[in-house]
Amino acid sequence: MSIHLSSSASHFPTLPKAPTGINGLDEITEGGLPKGRPTLLCGSAGCGKTLMAVEFLVRGILDYDEPGVLMAFEETAVELADNVQSLGFDLRQLQADKKLRLDHVHVDRSEIEETGEYDLEGLFIRLGYAIDTIGAKRVVLDTIESLFSGFTNQAVLRSEIRRLFRWLKDKGVTTIITAERGEGSLTRQGLEEYVSDCVILLDNRVINQITTRRLRIVKYRGSTHGTNEYPYLITEDGISVLPVTSLRLAHDVSNDIISTGVPGLDEMFTRKGLYRGSSILITGTAGTAKTTLSAAFALEACRRGERCLFFAFEESPQQLIRNMRAVGMDLEPFLAQGLLHIEASRPTLNGLEQHLVTIHKLLTEFKPQNVIIDPISNLVSVGSISEVRGMLTRLIDLLKVQGISALFTALVSGRNANQEMTEEGVSSLVDTWIHVRDLEGIGERNRGVSILKARGMAHSNQVREFLVTDHGVQLLDVIVGPAGIITGASRLTQQLQEQSQLLASQQEAERRDRELERKRRVLEATIANLRTEFESVEEELRQVNHEEEQRQQALATNRQQLAKGYSNRQPASPSPNQ
């Protein structure tokens, strides 16, 4: 549910903040630590309090031109400089540039006599001089227990702690004060968290023999902030805090269509491919060519001239290249061109957060348009189901925000094969879900692929058989028999039967054509005979008629002749004189 603020509320003044420069911390604090106010950084041993405080100073100097003062009560300046040098922080050079002041204050408990008149005036003078010398804007006090652990009078302790925090506020410096974790409270004294404007709790825990660090903002006066526990890591580049997920689902989307790398699979989508920037999940049991389909996706992306980042948790880069070359997909040229980067490691090499940090780092350095993780199911070995789901949620959100097309593969165990569900439970998070399976026939096993969901487009509901050939993945045409879709050897049998039926039909048609032709010839012969007989009768009748005409003509002629002859034989009439 989104909350829309009124126009007047959107113009309310916000609390001034000092960005820490620490990766991820400014995001969950919504801008940084309270500027000109003290922040309490508490935690148990080994959680990285000093390192985070030092990075706060160094980032402030390098990124925001804010000089800083580090007053340490346990480690000397030399020890601090040596300890953080492995992170790339050169404290000695910063001191030489008059940007950083390191001051080690040794507190001897035996010399402290607790009286009502005891105060920290000497510390204020020393710290104030260090701040004024370089014009410091940031201050770190590490650690506060060294100052107050010898106090037993709670009234004096509370008074001096309040006076220290008030002095720092009046000085206008952004301060981090580190404190050790107490029993049943955030700090040993149990007072610092109440007078601090911001309290950040660091935790270092071991789960399933894997060290996991968590950060939580306990309070932040005058500002909203992330309230969850956030994993963080100490790497060679410093502290990295990983937000659990994006605060809002407000990322941009694209209508561009990209290919899966398998033409037949593209045809199963009405738009002939996948949306750019979407997330795709390929699930299936072992041996169903999930990695091969992933490699086809990567190969097609590289052919488009796009960068592809391939995380392999089961095969080395050399093995992956060799195996894919055997099925007609040569990835090596694109590795040489810098379009493809394969990051291969066992999931157990690092914890979930370390893998996520590695992905963050490579996304920043390599800047890919496509990311493949094969398979995500192996991450279950280094974390619980809920932790893996949380890690993948953060990753999917990150990739969506950056508009990166992501493809994940997941192994479906035998007990879940019928349900087509993954142990990680991320199928509801992805945009497209493709399932590959074994199609068991009589004495053989074949592979089939189907689309379970595709957000934003219609798709085929058929289970298509496919082959992994020397030329890549090939989807076969659908053949439907009396009992449904036919695959494997049954497909060949069906084809042979259809060919036999077609041949028989052709032969029957030819036989009927020959019979028709024979009958036609018999009919034509009969017609010819009848015509001949008719012509004979006609000729005979014509001859009879002709003869009859001749006879009639002859009779007529004879009559005429007879009539003429009769008239010639009549006697002459006698004369009257006779």
Side-chain angles (χ1 to χ4, degrees):
M1 178 183 296
S2 61
I3 301 176
H4 300 281
L5 300 177
S6 63
S7 58
S8 59
S10 62
H11 293 87
F12 287 161
T14 58
L15 182 70
K17 296 185 178 183
T20 64
I22 297 175
N23 184 25
L25 183 57
D26 291 336
E27 180 180 348
I28 61 177
T29 57
E30 299 186 9
L33 303 182
K35 190 172 184 178
R37 300 185 183 187
T39 295
L40 183 66
L41 191 62
C42 53
S44 57
C47 61
K49 299 185 297 296
T50 301
L51 289 178
M52 183 171 287
V54 170
E55 185 169 356
F56 166 74
L57 288 180
V58 173
R59 300 295 183 194
I61 295 171
L62 299 178
D63 299 340
Y64 307 105
D65 194 25
E66 294 186 358
V69 172
L70 173 58
M71 182 167 284
F73 302 106
E74 293 182 348
E75 297 177 274
T76 66
V78 174
E79 291 172 342
L80 280 171
D82 292 340
N83 291 342
V84 300
Q85 192 170 5
S86 60
L87 301 178
F89 302 152
D90 191 350
L91 300 187
R92 293 182 177 87
Q93 184 61 46
L94 295 177
Q95 290 184 86
D97 296 337
K98 305 299 183 183
K99 295 292 185 180
L100 176 66
R101 183 72 180 266
L102 292 180
D103 194 359
H104 172 64
V105 177
H106 176 68
V107 179
D108 192 344
R109 300 289 188 272
S110 63
E111 298 177 358
I112 297 177
E113 181 181 357
E114 182 181 348
T115 65
E117 299 177 355
Y118 180 84
D119 58 32
L120 300 177
E121 195 63 36
L123 175 66
F124 296 156
I125 295 174
R126 188 166 179 172
L127 183 57
Y129 175 77
I131 293 173
D132 296 337
T133 301
I134 61 173
K137 301 295 183 182
R138 302 188 178 201
V139 172
V140 169
L141 300 181
D142 183 43
T143 65
I144 197 171
E145 282 75 22
S146 300
L147 287 175
F148 300 115
S149 60
F151 285 86
T152 58
N153 189 319
Q154 291 295 316
V156 174
L157 176 61
R158 181 180 294 270
S159 174
E160 292 304 302
I161 289 178
R162 287 185 181 277
R163 202 157 73 94
L164 172 62
F165 281 67
R166 173 49 57 188
W167 185 89
L168 292 169
K169 281 187 177 182
D170 294 340
K171 201 66 177 175
V173 291
T174 306
T175 308
I176 285 183
I177 300 172
T178 65
E180 297 176 1
R181 185 75 180 269
E183 294 292 337
S185 61
L186 296 178
T187 61
R188 292 276 184 91
Q189 313 302 332
L191 300 174
E192 299 92 325
E193 57 264 37
Y194 295 101
V195 295
S196 300
D197 289 84
C198 179
V199 178
I200 300 176
L201 176 63
L202 304 182
D203 183 31
N204 186 20
R205 65 189 71 165
V206 178
I207 303 175
N208 295 330
Q209 302 180 355
I210 297 176
T211 300
T212 304
R213 292 184 171 93
R214 294 287 189 271
L215 177 148
R216 180 167 65 93
I217 301 176
V218 179
K219 78 172 186 178
Y220 198 139
R221 288 174 179 164
S223 174
T224 58
H225 56 85
T227 57
N228 297 320
E229 275 195 333
Y230 302 96
Y232 69 96
L233 290 162
I234 300 174
T235 67
E236 64 274 9
D237 298 320
I239 304 289
S240 293
V241 183
L242 309 176
V244 171
T245 183
S246 299
L247 298 179
R248 297 182 302 163
L249 294 175
H251 53 270
D252 294 331
V253 297
S254 173
N255 289 320
D256 295 341
I257 298 297
I258 60 176
S259 173
T260 62
V262 181
L265 185 56
D266 291 340
E267 295 296 325
M268 296 181 69
F269 297 92
T270 55
R271 298 202 60 183
K272 313 304 179 185
L274 308 167
Y275 285 117
R276 183 183 300 278
S278 61
S279 54
I280 306 101
L281 176 66
I282 299 178
T283 58
T285 54
T288 50
K290 298 184 296 297
T291 301
T292 305
L293 291 172
S294 302
F297 180 82
L299 186 64
E300 183 63 25
C302 293
R303 286 173 177 168
R304 293 194 301 266
E306 300 176 2
R307 293 189 176 188
C308 183
L309 184 57
F310 197 118
F311 289 92
F313 290 145
E314 292 182 337
E315 299 176 279
S316 67
Q318 294 77 14
Q319 183 180 5
L320 181 65
I321 292 171
R322 182 203 65 186
N323 294 347
M324 294 304 105
R325 187 183 293 119
V327 294
M329 292 184 285
D330 192 1
L331 302 175
E332 194 166 11
F334 299 106
L335 280 172
Q337 296 175 22
L339 292 175
L340 177 64
H341 179 81
I342 301 176
E343 183 73 14
S345 65
R346 287 292 182 188
T348 52
L349 177 65
N350 300 299
L352 293 175
E353 285 75 25
Q354 182 62 52
H355 286 296
L356 191 53
V357 166
T358 301
I359 294 173
H360 274 252
K361 181 179 179 181
L362 289 175
L363 290 179
T364 302
E365 296 176 353
F366 190 63
K367 294 181 174 55
Q369 289 84 26
N370 306 272
V371 170
I372 298 171
I373 299 182
D374 177 45
I376 59 175
S377 47
N378 284 22
L379 296 173
V380 177
S381 61
V382 293
S384 65
I385 299 298
S386 60
E387 289 175 336
V388 173
R389 186 181 296 113
M391 179 260 195
L392 293 173
T393 301
R394 298 194 297 273
L395 179 58
I396 291 173
D397 285 348
L398 171 67
L399 297 175
K400 280 183 175 293
V401 168
Q402 298 188 15
I404 297 174
S405 304
L407 187 147
F408 308 95
T409 69
L411 178 67
V412 177
S413 61
R415 65 178 182 274
N416 292 332
N418 293 331
Q419 288 79 16
E420 300 171 334
M421 298 298 291
T422 63
E423 292 183 353
E424 303 78 25
V426 298
S427 55
S428 61
L429 301 177
V430 297
D431 300 308
T432 303
W433 184 6
I434 300 173
H435 186 66
V436 287
R437 66 188 70 183
D438 286 323
L439 304 176
E440 296 189 11
I442 301 176
E444 64 177 8
R445 302 179 71 178
N446 303 291
R447 297 185 179 100
V449 59
S450 60
I451 302 172
L452 300 185
K453 81 170 183 178
R455 289 173 177 164
M457 68 174 71
H459 56 85
S460 172
N461 64 348
Q462 291 181 324
V463 178
R464 295 282 300 274
E465 183 182 4
F466 70 94
L467 301 176
V468 180
T469 69
D470 294 339
H471 305 287
V473 178
Q474 177 185 358
L475 266 67
L476 303 180
D477 294 333
V478 175
I479 296 181
V480 180
I485 295 178
I486 299 175
T487 63
S490 300
R491 171 190 291 270
L492 180 60
T493 302
Q494 180 71 15
Q495 289 176 343
L496 292 176
Q497 290 178 352
E498 291 178 354
Q499 291 176 358
S500 299
Q501 293 175 357
L502 179 60
L503 180 61
S505 299
Q506 292 176 347
Q507 291 175 346
E508 178 64 20
E510 292 175 356
R511 186 191 65 77
R512 288 195 297 267
D513 290 342
R514 290 194 300 271
E515 180 68 17
L516 182 62
E517 180 65 19
R518 185 185 64 80
K519 290 183 177 181
R520 185 184 63 79
R521 289 196 299 267
V522 170
L523 178 59
E524 289 178 351
T526 303
I527 293 173
N529 292 335
L530 291 174
R531 182 177 290 110
T532 302
E533 182 178 354
F534 176 77
E535 290 175 351
S536 299
V537 173
E538 184 182 27
E539 180 66 23
E540 182 178 355
L541 290 175
R542 194 178 288 114
Q543 182 66 29
V544 170
N545 291 336
H546 179 67
E547 292 176 352
E548 181 65 22
E549 289 176 357
Q550 289 180 345
R551 188 176 66 80
Q552 291 297 332
Q553 290 177 358
L555 289 175
T557 302
N558 292 335
R559 288 193 188 98
Q560 291 176 358
Q561 290 177 356
L562 289 175
K564 185 178 179 181
Y566 177 78
S567 63
N568 291 333
R569 290 196 300 270
Q570 290 292 328
S573 299
S575 169
N577 296 323
Q578 293 181 352

